[in-house]
Amino acid sequence: MSAKSDPKAYWSANVRLILISLAIWALVSFGFGIILRPALSGITIGGADLGFWFAQQGSILVFLVLIFFYAWRMNRLDQQFGVDEE
């Protein structure tokens, strides 16, 4: 069985990408926005402290970046394993 047709390797890479994306999202939204908010209160961005900014806007922006990164990376992964649409 070649690497291009190995479904276990494909799904392993897919799940790894999902877990990394979820870990980044959780760190930014819960970690920076809630847990580390008091530690980030001395740093200001746009007139608000950094913890508040992450809770209100930063986590949403990071989530959008993660969506585009996931789509880009999955297209490359699909090509690597020969399951792309083109």
Side-chain angles (χ1 to χ4, degrees):
M1 185 180 298
S2 69
K4 281 195 164 238
S5 63
D6 187 10
K8 279 190 164 187
Y10 174 75
W11 284 108
S12 175
N14 187 4
V15 169
R16 187 176 336 114
L17 180 62
I18 290 170
L19 291 176
I20 290 170
S21 298
L22 284 174
I24 292 170
W25 173 75
L27 175 68
V28 170
S29 63
F30 294 115
F32 293 156
I34 297 171
I35 297 170
L36 296 175
R37 187 175 184 277
L40 299 174
S41 65
I43 304 168
T44 59
I45 183 170
D49 66 79
L50 190 59
F52 179 78
W53 184 83
F54 269 115
Q56 297 301 313
Q57 295 174 356
S59 60
I60 295 169
L61 294 176
V62 169
F63 185 68
L64 288 173
V65 169
L66 281 173
I67 289 171
F68 287 106
F69 173 75
Y70 179 78
W72 171 77
R73 185 65 182 108
M74 277 307 298
N75 283 334
R76 291 191 62 205
L77 199 65
D78 287 348
Q79 290 173 354
Q80 179 183 349
F81 284 94
V83 293
D84 56 334
E85 296 175 0
E86 296 174 10

Coordinates of all heavy atoms in Angstrom, one line a residue:
M1 N 0.9 -1.2 0.0 CA 0.0 0.0 0.0 C 0.9 1.2 0.0 O 1.8 1.4 0.8 CB -0.9 0.0 1.2 CG -1.9 1.1 1.3 SD -3.0 1.1 2.7 CE -3.8 -0.4 2.5
S2 N 0.7 2.1 -0.9 CA 1.5 3.3 -1.0 C 1.0 4.4 0.0 O -0.1 4.3 0.6 CB 1.4 3.9 -2.4 OG 0.1 4.4 -2.7
A3 N 1.9 5.4 0.2 CA 1.5 6.5 1.1 C 0.3 7.3 0.6 O -0.4 7.9 1.4 CB 2.7 7.4 1.3
K4 N 0.2 7.3 -0.7 CA -0.9 8.1 -1.2 C -2.3 7.5 -0.9 O -3.3 8.2 -0.9 CB -0.8 8.3 -2.7 CG 0.2 9.4 -3.1 CD 0.1 9.8 -4.5 CE 0.7 11.1 -4.8 NZ -0.1 12.1 -5.3
S5 N -2.3 6.2 -0.7 CA -3.6 5.5 -0.5 C -3.8 5.0 0.9 O -4.6 4.1 1.1 CB -3.8 4.4 -1.6 OG -2.8 3.4 -1.4
D6 N -3.1 5.5 1.8 CA -3.1 5.0 3.2 C -4.2 5.8 4.0 O -3.9 6.9 4.4 CB -1.8 5.1 3.9 CG -1.7 4.5 5.2 OD1 -2.7 3.8 5.6 OD2 -0.8 4.6 5.9
P7 N -5.4 5.3 4.2 CA -6.4 6.0 4.8 C -6.1 6.3 6.3 O -6.5 7.3 6.8 CB -7.7 5.2 4.7 CG -7.2 3.8 4.3 CD -5.9 4.0 3.7
K8 N -5.4 5.4 7.0 CA -5.1 5.6 8.4 C -4.2 6.8 8.5 O -4.3 7.6 9.4 CB -4.5 4.4 9.0 CG -5.4 3.3 9.4 CD -4.7 2.3 10.2 CE -5.8 1.5 11.0 NZ -5.2 0.5 11.9
A9 N -3.2 6.9 7.7 CA -2.2 8.0 7.7 C -2.9 9.4 7.4 O -2.7 10.4 8.0 CB -1.1 7.8 6.8
Y10 N -3.9 9.3 6.5 CA -4.6 10.5 6.1 C -5.5 11.0 7.3 O -5.4 12.2 7.6 CB -5.5 10.2 4.9 CG -6.4 11.3 4.5 CD1 -5.9 12.5 3.9 CD2 -7.8 11.3 4.8 CE1 -6.8 13.5 3.5 CE2 -8.6 12.3 4.5 CZ -8.1 13.4 3.8 OH -9.0 14.5 3.5
W11 N -6.2 10.1 7.9 CA -7.1 10.5 9.0 C -6.2 10.9 10.2 O -6.6 11.7 11.0 CB -8.1 9.4 9.3 CG -9.2 9.5 8.3 CD1 -9.4 8.5 7.3 CD2 -10.1 10.5 8.1 NE1 -10.5 8.9 6.6 CE2 -10.9 10.1 7.0 CE3 -10.4 11.7 8.8 CZ2 -12.0 10.9 6.6 CZ3 -11.5 12.5 8.3 CH2 -12.2 12.1 7.2
S12 N -5.1 10.2 10.4 CA -4.2 10.6 11.5 C -3.7 12.0 11.3 O -3.7 12.8 12.3 CB -3.0 9.6 11.6 OG -2.1 10.0 12.6
A13 N -3.3 12.4 10.1 CA -2.9 13.8 9.8 C -4.0 14.7 10.0 O -3.8 15.9 10.5 CB -2.3 13.8 8.4
N14 N -5.2 14.3 9.6 CA -6.4 15.2 9.7 C -6.7 15.5 11.1 O -7.0 16.6 11.5 CB -7.6 14.6 8.9 CG -8.8 15.4 8.9 OD1 -8.7 16.6 9.3 ND2 -9.8 14.9 8.3
V15 N -6.8 14.4 11.9 CA -7.1 14.6 13.4 C -6.0 15.4 14.1 O -6.3 16.2 14.9 CB -7.3 13.2 14.0 CG1 -7.4 13.3 15.5 CG2 -8.6 12.5 13.5
R16 N -4.8 15.2 13.7 CA -3.7 16.0 14.3 C -3.9 17.5 14.0 O -3.7 18.3 14.9 CB -2.3 15.5 13.8 CG -1.2 16.1 14.5 CD 0.2 15.5 14.1 NE 0.1 14.2 13.5 CZ 0.4 13.9 12.3 NH1 0.8 14.8 11.4 NH2 0.3 12.6 11.9
L17 N -4.2 17.8 12.8 CA -4.4 19.2 12.4 C -5.6 19.8 13.2 O -5.6 20.9 13.6 CB -4.7 19.2 10.9 CG -4.9 20.6 10.3 CD1 -3.7 21.5 10.5 CD2 -5.2 20.5 8.8
I18 N -6.7 19.0 13.3 CA -7.8 19.5 14.1 C -7.5 19.7 15.5 O -7.9 20.7 16.1 CB -9.0 18.5 14.0 CG1 -9.6 18.5 12.5 CG2 -10.1 18.8 15.0 CD1 -10.6 17.3 12.3
L19 N -6.7 18.8 16.1 CA -6.4 19.0 17.6 C -5.4 20.1 17.8 O -5.6 20.9 18.8 CB -5.7 17.7 18.1 CG -6.7 16.5 18.2 CD1 -5.9 15.2 18.7 CD2 -7.8 16.8 19.2
I20 N -4.5 20.4 16.9 CA -3.6 21.5 17.0 C -4.4 22.8 16.8 O -4.3 23.8 17.6 CB -2.5 21.5 15.9 CG1 -1.5 20.3 16.3 CG2 -1.8 22.8 15.8 CD1 -0.5 20.0 15.2
S21 N -5.4 22.8 15.9 CA -6.2 24.0 15.7 C -7.1 24.3 16.9 O -7.2 25.4 17.4 CB -7.1 23.9 14.5 OG -6.3 23.8 13.3
L22 N -7.7 23.2 17.5 CA -8.5 23.4 18.7 C -7.6 23.9 19.9 O -8.1 24.7 20.7 CB -9.2 22.1 19.0 CG -10.4 21.8 18.2 CD1 -10.9 20.4 18.5 CD2 -11.5 22.8 18.3
A23 N -6.4 23.4 20.0 CA -5.5 23.8 21.1 C -5.2 25.3 21.0 O -5.2 26.0 22.0 CB -4.3 22.9 21.1
I24 N -4.9 25.7 19.8 CA -4.6 27.2 19.6 C -5.8 28.0 19.9 O -5.7 29.0 20.6 CB -4.1 27.4 18.1 CG1 -2.8 26.8 17.9 CG2 -4.1 28.9 17.8 CD1 -2.3 26.7 16.5
W25 N -7.0 27.6 19.4 CA -8.2 28.3 19.7 C -8.5 28.4 21.2 O -8.9 29.4 21.7 CB -9.4 27.7 18.9 CG -10.7 28.3 19.3 CD1 -11.2 29.5 18.9 CD2 -11.7 27.7 20.1 NE1 -12.4 29.7 19.4 CE2 -12.8 28.6 20.2 CE3 -11.8 26.5 20.9 CZ2 -13.9 28.3 21.0 CZ3 -12.9 26.3 21.6 CH2 -13.9 27.2 21.7
A26 N -8.3 27.2 21.9 CA -8.6 27.2 23.3 C -7.6 28.1 24.1 O -8.0 28.8 25.0 CB -8.5 25.8 23.8
L27 N -6.4 28.1 23.7 CA -5.4 28.9 24.3 C -5.7 30.4 24.2 O -5.6 31.1 25.1 CB -4.0 28.6 23.7 CG -2.8 29.5 24.3 CD1 -2.6 29.2 25.7 CD2 -1.6 29.3 23.4
V28 N -6.1 30.8 23.0 CA -6.4 32.2 22.7 C -7.7 32.6 23.4 O -7.7 33.6 24.1 CB -6.4 32.5 21.2 CG1 -7.0 33.9 20.9 CG2 -5.0 32.3 20.6
S29 N -8.7 31.8 23.2 CA -10.0 32.3 23.8 C -10.1 32.1 25.3 O -10.5 33.0 26.0 CB -11.2 31.5 23.0 OG -11.1 30.2 23.3
F30 N -9.8 30.9 25.8 CA -9.9 30.7 27.2 C -8.7 31.1 28.0 O -8.8 31.7 29.0 CB -10.2 29.2 27.5 CG -11.5 28.7 27.0 CD1 -11.6 27.8 26.0 CD2 -12.7 29.2 27.5 CE1 -12.8 27.4 25.5 CE2 -13.9 28.8 27.0 CZ -13.9 27.9 26.0
G31 N -7.5 30.8 27.4 CA -6.2 31.2 28.1 C -6.0 32.6 28.2 O -5.9 33.2 29.3
F32 N -5.9 33.3 27.0 CA -5.6 34.7 27.0 C -6.8 35.6 27.4 O -6.7 36.6 28.1 CB -5.2 35.2 25.6 CG -3.8 34.6 25.2 CD1 -3.5 34.5 23.9 CD2 -2.9 34.2 26.2 CE1 -2.2 34.0 23.5 CE2 -1.7 33.7 25.8 CZ -1.3 33.6 24.5
G33 N -8.0 35.2 27.0 CA -9.2 36.0 27.3 C -9.8 35.8 28.7 O -10.4 36.7 29.2
I34 N -9.6 34.7 29.3 CA -10.2 34.4 30.7 C -9.1 34.2 31.7 O -9.1 34.9 32.7 CB -11.2 33.3 30.6 CG1 -12.3 33.6 29.6 CG2 -11.8 32.9 31.9 CD1 -13.3 32.4 29.3
I35 N -8.3 33.1 31.5 CA -7.4 32.7 32.6 C -6.3 33.7 32.8 O -5.9 34.1 33.9 CB -6.9 31.3 32.3 CG1 -8.1 30.3 32.3 CG2 -5.8 30.9 33.3 CD1 -7.7 28.9 31.8
L36 N -5.7 34.2 31.7 CA -4.5 35.1 31.8 C -4.9 36.5 31.7 O -4.0 37.4 31.6 CB -3.5 34.7 30.7 CG -2.9 33.3 30.8 CD1 -2.0 33.1 29.6 CD2 -2.1 33.2 32.1
R37 N -6.2 36.8 31.8 CA -6.6 38.2 31.6 C -6.0 39.1 32.7 O -5.6 40.2 32.3 CB -8.2 38.3 31.7 CG -8.6 39.7 31.4 CD -10.2 39.8 31.3 NE -10.6 41.1 30.9 CZ -10.7 42.1 31.8 NH1 -10.4 42.0 33.0 NH2 -11.1 43.3 31.3
P38 N -6.0 38.8 34.0 CA -5.3 39.7 34.9 C -3.8 39.9 34.6 O -3.4 41.0 34.8 CB -5.5 38.9 36.3 CG -6.6 38.0 36.1 CD -6.6 37.6 34.6
A39 N -3.1 38.9 34.1 CA -1.7 39.1 33.8 C -1.5 40.0 32.6 O -0.5 40.7 32.5 CB -1.1 37.8 33.6
L40 N -2.5 40.1 31.7 CA -2.4 40.9 30.5 C -3.1 42.3 30.7 O -3.1 43.0 29.7 CB -3.1 40.2 29.3 CG -2.5 38.8 28.9 CD1 -3.4 38.1 27.9 CD2 -1.1 39.0 28.4
S41 N -3.5 42.6 31.9 CA -4.3 43.9 32.0 C -3.4 45.1 31.9 O -3.9 46.2 31.7 CB -5.0 43.8 33.4 OG -4.0 43.8 34.4
G42 N -2.1 44.9 32.1 CA -1.2 46.1 32.0 C -0.8 46.5 30.6 O -0.4 47.6 30.3
I43 N -1.1 45.6 29.6 CA -0.8 45.9 28.2 C -2.0 46.4 27.5 O -3.1 45.8 27.6 CB -0.3 44.6 27.5 CG1 0.9 44.0 28.3 CG2 0.1 44.9 26.1 CD1 1.3 42.6 27.9
T44 N -2.0 47.5 26.9 CA -3.1 48.1 26.2 C -3.0 48.0 24.7 O -1.9 48.1 24.2 CB -3.4 49.6 26.6 OG1 -2.2 50.3 26.2 CG2 -3.6 49.7 28.1
I45 N -4.1 47.7 24.1 CA -4.2 47.7 22.6 C -5.5 48.3 22.2 O -6.6 47.9 22.7 CB -4.1 46.3 22.1 CG1 -4.1 46.3 20.5 CG2 -5.1 45.4 22.6 CD1 -3.7 45.0 19.9
G46 N -5.5 49.4 21.4 CA -6.7 50.1 21.0 C -7.5 50.7 22.2 O -8.7 50.8 22.1
G47 N -6.8 51.1 23.2 CA -7.5 51.7 24.4 C -8.0 50.7 25.4 O -8.6 51.1 26.4
A48 N -7.9 49.4 25.2 CA -8.4 48.4 26.1 C -7.2 47.5 26.5 O -6.3 47.4 25.8 CB -9.5 47.6 25.5
D49 N -7.4 46.9 27.7 CA -6.3 46.0 28.0 C -6.3 44.7 27.1 O -7.3 44.4 26.6 CB -6.3 45.6 29.5 CG -7.5 44.8 29.9 OD1 -7.5 43.6 29.6 OD2 -8.5 45.3 30.5
L50 N -5.1 44.1 27.0 CA -4.9 43.0 26.1 C -5.8 41.8 26.4 O -6.3 41.2 25.5 CB -3.5 42.6 26.1 CG -3.1 41.6 25.0 CD1 -3.3 42.2 23.6 CD2 -1.6 41.3 25.1
G51 N -6.1 41.5 27.7 CA -7.0 40.4 28.0 C -8.4 40.6 27.5 O -9.0 39.7 27.0
F52 N -8.9 41.9 27.7 CA -10.2 42.2 27.2 C -10.3 42.1 25.7 O -11.2 41.7 25.1 CB -10.6 43.6 27.7 CG -11.9 44.1 27.3 CD1 -13.1 43.6 27.9 CD2 -12.0 45.0 26.2 CE1 -14.3 44.0 27.4 CE2 -13.3 45.4 25.8 CZ -14.4 44.9 26.4
W53 N -9.2 42.6 25.1 CA -9.2 42.6 23.6 C -9.2 41.1 23.1 O -10.0 40.9 22.1 CB -7.9 43.3 23.1 CG -7.9 43.4 21.6 CD1 -8.5 44.3 20.8 CD2 -7.2 42.4 20.7 NE1 -8.2 44.1 19.5 CE2 -7.5 42.9 19.4 CE3 -6.5 41.3 20.9 CZ2 -7.0 42.3 18.3 CZ3 -6.0 40.6 19.7 CH2 -6.3 41.1 18.5
F54 N -8.5 40.2 23.7 CA -8.5 38.8 23.3 C -9.9 38.2 23.5 O -10.4 37.5 22.7 CB -7.5 38.0 24.0 CG -6.2 37.9 23.3 CD1 -5.1 38.5 23.9 CD2 -6.1 37.3 22.1 CE1 -3.8 38.4 23.2 CE2 -4.9 37.2 21.4 CZ -3.8 37.8 22.0
A55 N -10.6 38.6 24.6 CA -11.9 38.1 24.9 C -12.9 38.6 24.0 O -13.9 37.9 23.6 CB -12.3 38.4 26.4
Q56 N -12.8 39.8 23.5 CA -13.8 40.4 22.7 C -13.5 40.3 21.2 O -14.5 40.1 20.4 CB -14.0 41.9 23.0 CG -14.5 42.1 24.4 CD -15.8 41.4 24.7 OE1 -16.7 41.5 23.9 NE2 -15.9 40.7 25.8
Q57 N -12.3 40.5 20.8 CA -12.0 40.5 19.3 C -10.9 39.5 18.9 O -11.0 38.9 17.8 CB -11.6 41.9 18.9 CG -12.7 42.9 19.1 CD -12.1 44.4 18.8 OE1 -11.0 44.6 18.5 NE2 -13.0 45.3 18.8
G58 N -9.9 39.4 19.7 CA -8.8 38.6 19.3 C -9.1 37.1 19.1 O -8.6 36.5 18.1
S59 N -10.0 36.6 19.9 CA -10.3 35.2 19.8 C -11.1 35.0 18.5 O -11.0 33.9 17.8 CB -11.1 34.6 21.0 OG -12.3 35.4 21.1
I60 N -11.9 35.9 18.1 CA -12.7 35.8 16.9 C -11.8 35.9 15.7 O -11.9 35.1 14.7 CB -13.8 36.9 16.8 CG1 -14.8 36.7 17.9 CG2 -14.5 36.9 15.4 CD1 -15.8 37.8 18.1
L61 N -10.8 36.8 15.7 CA -9.9 37.0 14.6 C -9.0 35.7 14.5 O -8.7 35.3 13.3 CB -9.0 38.2 14.8 CG -9.8 39.6 14.7 CD1 -8.9 40.7 15.0 CD2 -10.4 39.7 13.4
V62 N -8.5 35.2 15.6 CA -7.7 34.0 15.5 C -8.6 32.8 15.0 O -8.1 32.0 14.2 CB -7.1 33.7 16.9 CG1 -6.5 32.3 17.0 CG2 -6.1 34.7 17.3
F63 N -9.8 32.7 15.4 CA -10.7 31.7 14.9 C -10.9 31.8 13.4 O -10.8 30.8 12.6 CB -12.1 31.8 15.6 CG -13.0 30.7 15.2 CD1 -12.7 29.4 15.6 CD2 -14.1 30.9 14.4 CE1 -13.6 28.3 15.2 CE2 -15.0 29.9 14.1 CZ -14.7 28.6 14.5
L64 N -11.0 33.0 12.8 CA -11.1 33.2 11.4 C -9.8 32.8 10.7 O -9.9 32.1 9.6 CB -11.5 34.6 11.0 CG -12.9 35.1 11.4 CD1 -13.1 36.6 11.2 CD2 -13.9 34.3 10.5
V65 N -8.7 33.1 11.2 CA -7.4 32.8 10.7 C -7.3 31.2 10.7 O -6.8 30.6 9.7 CB -6.2 33.4 11.4 CG1 -4.9 32.8 11.0 CG2 -6.2 34.9 11.2
L66 N -7.7 30.6 11.8 CA -7.6 29.1 11.9 C -8.5 28.5 10.8 O -8.2 27.4 10.3 CB -8.1 28.7 13.2 CG -7.0 28.8 14.3 CD1 -7.6 28.5 15.7 CD2 -5.8 27.9 14.0
I67 N -9.7 29.0 10.5 CA -10.5 28.5 9.5 C -9.8 28.5 8.1 O -9.8 27.5 7.4 CB -11.9 29.3 9.4 CG1 -12.7 29.0 10.6 CG2 -12.6 28.9 8.1 CD1 -13.9 29.8 10.7
F68 N -9.2 29.6 7.8 CA -8.5 29.7 6.5 C -7.3 28.8 6.5 O -7.0 28.2 5.5 CB -8.2 31.1 6.1 CG -9.4 31.9 5.7 CD1 -9.9 32.9 6.6 CD2 -10.0 31.7 4.5 CE1 -11.0 33.6 6.2 CE2 -11.1 32.5 4.1 CZ -11.6 33.4 4.9
F69 N -6.6 28.8 7.6 CA -5.4 27.9 7.7 C -5.8 26.4 7.5 O -5.1 25.7 6.8 CB -4.6 28.1 9.0 CG -3.5 27.1 9.2 CD1 -2.4 27.2 8.5 CD2 -3.7 26.0 10.1 CE1 -1.3 26.3 8.7 CE2 -2.7 25.1 10.3 CZ -1.5 25.2 9.6
Y70 N -6.9 26.0 8.2 CA -7.3 24.6 8.1 C -7.7 24.3 6.6 O -7.4 23.2 6.1 CB -8.5 24.4 9.0 CG -9.1 23.0 8.9 CD1 -8.4 22.0 9.6 CD2 -10.2 22.7 8.2 CE1 -8.9 20.7 9.5 CE2 -10.7 21.4 8.1 CZ -10.1 20.4 8.8 OH -10.5 19.1 8.7
A71 N -8.4 25.2 6.0 CA -8.8 24.9 4.6 C -7.6 24.8 3.7 O -7.5 23.9 2.8 CB -9.8 26.0 4.1
W72 N -6.6 25.7 3.9 CA -5.4 25.6 3.0 C -4.6 24.4 3.3 O -4.2 23.7 2.4 CB -4.6 26.9 3.4 CG -3.2 26.8 2.8 CD1 -2.9 27.1 1.5 CD2 -2.0 26.5 3.4 NE1 -1.5 26.9 1.3 CE2 -0.9 26.6 2.5 CE3 -1.7 26.2 4.8 CZ2 0.4 26.4 2.8 CZ3 -0.4 26.0 5.1 CH2 0.6 26.1 4.1
R73 N -4.5 24.0 4.6 CA -3.7 22.9 4.9 C -4.4 21.6 4.5 O -3.7 20.6 4.1 CB -3.4 22.9 6.5 CG -2.5 21.8 6.9 CD -1.1 21.9 6.4 NE -0.3 20.9 6.8 CZ 0.1 19.9 6.0 NH1 -0.2 19.9 4.7 NH2 0.9 18.9 6.5
M74 N -5.7 21.5 4.6 CA -6.4 20.3 4.2 C -6.3 20.1 2.7 O -6.2 19.0 2.2 CB -7.9 20.4 4.6 CG -8.1 19.9 6.0 SD -7.4 18.3 6.5 CE -8.3 17.2 5.4
N75 N -6.3 21.2 1.9 CA -6.1 21.1 0.5 C -4.8 20.5 0.2 O -4.7 19.6 -0.7 CB -6.3 22.4 -0.2 CG -7.7 22.9 -0.3 OD1 -8.6 22.0 -0.4 ND2 -8.0 24.2 -0.4
R76 N -3.7 20.9 0.9 CA -2.4 20.4 0.7 C -2.4 18.9 1.1 O -1.7 18.1 0.5 CB -1.4 21.2 1.4 CG -1.2 22.6 0.8 CD 0.0 23.3 1.3 NE 1.2 22.5 1.0 CZ 2.3 22.7 1.7 NH1 2.4 23.5 2.8 NH2 3.4 22.0 1.4
L77 N -3.0 18.6 2.2 CA -3.1 17.2 2.7 C -3.8 16.3 1.7 O -3.4 15.2 1.5 CB -3.7 17.2 4.1 CG -3.5 16.0 4.9 CD1 -2.0 15.9 5.3 CD2 -4.4 16.1 6.2
D78 N -4.9 16.8 1.2 CA -5.7 16.0 0.2 C -4.8 15.7 -1.1 O -4.8 14.6 -1.6 CB -6.9 16.8 -0.3 CG -8.0 16.8 0.8 OD1 -7.8 16.1 1.8 OD2 -8.9 17.6 0.7
Q79 N -4.0 16.7 -1.5 CA -3.1 16.5 -2.6 C -2.1 15.5 -2.3 O -1.7 14.7 -3.1 CB -2.5 17.8 -3.1 CG -3.5 18.8 -3.7 CD -2.9 20.1 -4.0 OE1 -1.7 20.4 -3.6 NE2 -3.6 21.0 -4.7
Q80 N -1.5 15.6 -1.1 CA -0.5 14.7 -0.7 C -0.9 13.2 -0.7 O -0.2 12.3 -1.1 CB 0.0 15.1 0.7 CG 1.1 14.2 1.3 CD 1.5 14.6 2.7 OE1 1.1 15.7 3.2 NE2 2.3 13.8 3.3
F81 N -2.2 13.0 -0.3 CA -2.7 11.6 -0.2 C -3.5 11.2 -1.4 O -4.1 10.2 -1.4 CB -3.5 11.5 1.1 CG -2.6 11.3 2.3 CD1 -2.3 12.4 3.1 CD2 -2.1 10.1 2.7 CE1 -1.5 12.3 4.2 CE2 -1.3 10.0 3.8 CZ -1.0 11.1 4.6
G82 N -3.6 12.1 -2.4 CA -4.3 11.8 -3.6 C -5.8 11.7 -3.5 O -6.4 11.0 -4.3
V83 N -6.4 12.5 -2.6 CA -7.8 12.5 -2.5 C -8.4 13.9 -2.8 O -9.5 14.2 -2.4 CB -8.3 12.0 -1.1 CG1 -8.0 10.6 -0.9 CG2 -7.7 12.9 0.0
D84 N -7.6 14.7 -3.5 CA -8.1 16.1 -3.8 C -9.1 16.0 -4.9 O -9.3 15.0 -5.6 CB -6.9 17.0 -4.2 CG -6.1 16.4 -5.4 OD1 -6.1 15.2 -5.6 OD2 -5.5 17.2 -6.1
E85 N -9.8 17.1 -5.1 CA -11.0 17.2 -6.0 C -10.5 17.5 -7.5 O -11.3 17.4 -8.4 CB -12.0 18.2 -5.5 CG -12.6 17.9 -4.2 CD -13.5 19.0 -3.7 OE1 -13.6 20.0 -4.3 OE2 -14.0 18.8 -2.6
E86 N -9.3 18.0 -7.6 CA -8.9 18.4 -8.9 C -8.1 17.3 -9.6 O -7.5 16.5 -9.2 CB -8.1 19.7 -8.8 CG -8.9 20.8 -8.3 CD -8.1 22.1 -8.1 OE1 -6.9 22.1 -8.5 OE2 -8.6 23.0 -7.5

